[in-house]
Amino acid sequence: EFGVALLLFGVGVEFSLFDLGRGALRGLGTGLAQVVATVAATTWLLAGLGMSLQTALVVGFLVSLSSTAVVFKLYDDQGQFRAPQGQAAAGVLLFQDLALVPMMLVLPLLAEPAGGGGGAAALSLLKAVAAVVTLLVVARALLPRALALAARAGTPELFPPLALLIALGTALGATRMGLSLPIGAFLAGLALSGSPYAHQVFAELLPLRDAFMAVFFTSIGLMLDPALALAVPVLVLVLLLAVVVKGAVAGAAAGLAWRSTRIGLLVGLSLTQIGEFSFVLASEAAELGLIGQDLEQAFISVAVLSMAATPWLFSLGNRLVERKDASAQRAGRGTAKHGEQRGVVIIGYGETGQAVARVLSETSIPFVAVDMKAERVRAG
């Protein structure tokens, strides 16, 4: 759970970057279409097999989320993160991560007995929303100031413990307010997004996040009981079908939004899996009695299979696109280049660094400046 919390903290920190991106609205719109269509299709499919509406809806939530950790790493390793397909997939994943918050708030309402407790359910939802808003406002007011004070102290050793305190301390505060640990970490990252020191905090937490995510994925493997999964083959096949439908819906939505079959194909294949945040939801749902052991084992089996297949599907998509581009080039239509944009890193933002930055800016060459002095960062 710490690994998922730190992953969501990073998503929150990166939120402002996606928000400023040119394709952000299209990506979020694509994510909305994919999540709604996947939840509706899965719920309809499972309800038709005799499953209760509440349980079918929860499974729809689980299937609709893809793996931010796996997909981000694949795009980053291939240098495609800033390419159109990377931005499209990132927008969808960002929406899915944001959708986790209302999904977790809705779970207790679905566990309420039918016909009773409607007022109490509405009140609990209002309390949860109030807790989210309160935590976000307080964190937004305090955390950037704390980082600015630490930066002015000029002691780099302050940042690692402060980063841990911010991410996990806010997450712990969220649990005291009735929210989950991952939601608290996400709100902490969101509160820091836009701060010039946010990425330094994230860099300090990166080794911890990777270590805890490794433990998280190992624990998923330990939870899998193949004998129990094989005892419910129909459930496994239905969930696999739902995941395939999710990938097709995501690809179709991305292709329409970007008006590109190429982008639709790459995004659809890269998102055809169940994500790590689905396990957080599944754990909550199991505690509330919304899903039973058979369904939980079928879900874990499909999640493990789909995650394992993702690198192969990602590679398949790239090969199909390269073949299509090669055919287009032979036909004399040229090849679309969707690679990473080149840029410059300026290490040190003193007088020389600022002079170099002015030249790069005047010649429209993108750059990033790095400096350890808070005054220079603020001036820049």
Side-chain angles (χ1 to χ4, degrees):
E1 198 170 1
F2 278 132
V4 176
L6 292 175
L7 181 66
L8 261 181
F9 176 78
V11 171
V13 168
E14 294 289 328
F15 178 78
S16 61
L17 293 181
F18 289 125
D19 196 41
L20 293 172
R22 291 175 61 189
L25 287 177
R26 280 190 293 183
L28 291 173
T30 304
L32 173 62
Q34 177 265 308
V35 169
V36 170
T38 303
V39 171
T42 306
T43 304
W44 174 80
L45 187 64
L46 292 174
L49 292 174
M51 193 175 285
S52 72
L53 190 60
Q54 290 93 333
T55 301
L57 190 60
V58 170
V59 177
F61 289 166
L62 301 181
V63 172
S64 69
L65 303 179
S66 300
S67 175
T68 303
V70 172
V71 178
F72 271 27
K73 181 164 178 56
L74 287 171
Y75 276 111
D76 196 40
D77 287 348
Q78 293 294 319
Q80 297 180 15
F81 197 70
R82 295 295 171 194
Q85 63 268 23
Q87 290 296 287
V92 175
L93 288 165
L94 177 61
F95 183 86
Q96 291 178 0
D97 296 339
L98 293 172
L100 175 70
V101 179
M103 285 177 183
M104 292 195 75
L105 297 180
V106 164
L107 285 184
L109 308 186
L110 294 175
E112 290 284 338
L123 184 62
S124 68
L125 184 61
L126 272 176
K127 284 181 179 177
V129 171
V132 168
V133 173
T134 303
L135 192 64
L136 186 56
V137 169
V138 172
R140 190 83 181 184
L142 296 180
L143 298 186
R145 287 182 172 84
L147 285 179
L149 285 172
R152 280 202 291 272
T155 308
E157 291 80 10
L158 274 176
F159 262 91
L162 184 60
L164 198 61
L165 178 64
I166 284 173
L168 298 183
T170 311
L172 180 63
T175 62
R176 297 295 172 87
M177 298 173 75
L179 302 171
S180 71
L181 199 71
I183 287 178
F186 173 74
L187 292 175
L190 204 58
L192 288 176
S193 65
S195 164
Y197 311 110
H199 292 283
Q200 181 65 27
V201 173
F202 186 50
E204 300 290 357
L205 292 174
L206 201 57
L208 272 179
R209 187 202 71 175
D210 291 344
F212 278 123
M213 283 305 294
V215 174
F216 173 78
F217 282 115
T218 303
S219 69
I220 289 172
L222 290 170
M223 288 164 62
L224 177 63
D225 188 335
L228 283 176
L230 289 171
V232 283
V234 174
L235 267 179
V236 172
L237 288 173
V238 169
L239 289 181
L240 274 174
L241 176 62
V243 172
V244 171
V245 169
K246 187 262 289 283
V249 168
L256 287 172
W258 268 264
R259 297 178 183 177
S260 168
T261 308
R262 180 185 202 279
I263 291 176
L265 177 67
L266 290 171
V267 170
L269 287 173
S270 67
L271 296 180
T272 306
Q273 82 281 126
I274 289 176
E276 54 279 341
F277 298 145
S278 296
F279 288 93
V280 179
L281 272 177
S283 175
E284 295 279 335
E287 285 181 15
L288 292 168
L290 286 167
I291 60 175
Q293 188 181 34
D294 288 350
L295 183 54
E296 188 178 19
Q297 281 300 318
F299 158 72
I300 292 171
S301 303
V302 172
V304 170
L305 286 171
S306 63
M307 282 181 172
T310 299
W312 180 80
L313 290 173
F314 186 82
S315 176
L316 174 65
N318 281 319
R319 284 202 302 271
L320 290 173
V321 165
E322 285 168 7
R323 194 173 300 170
K324 183 183 175 185
D325 287 346
S327 300
Q329 193 173 34
R330 283 196 299 270
R333 295 196 300 269
T335 305
K337 297 289 184 184
H338 294 289
E340 186 95 14
Q341 187 180 32
R342 290 176 176 271
V344 175
V345 179
I346 303 172
I347 313 255
Y349 200 63
E351 290 182 13
T352 306
Q354 291 172 32
V356 172
R358 280 194 297 273
V359 173
L360 293 172
S361 183
E362 288 166 4
T363 51
S364 300
I365 297 174
F367 67 91
V368 174
V370 182
D371 201 288
M372 292 299 289
K373 290 190 179 294
E375 294 77 15
R376 291 178 182 173
V377 171
R378 192 162 55 252

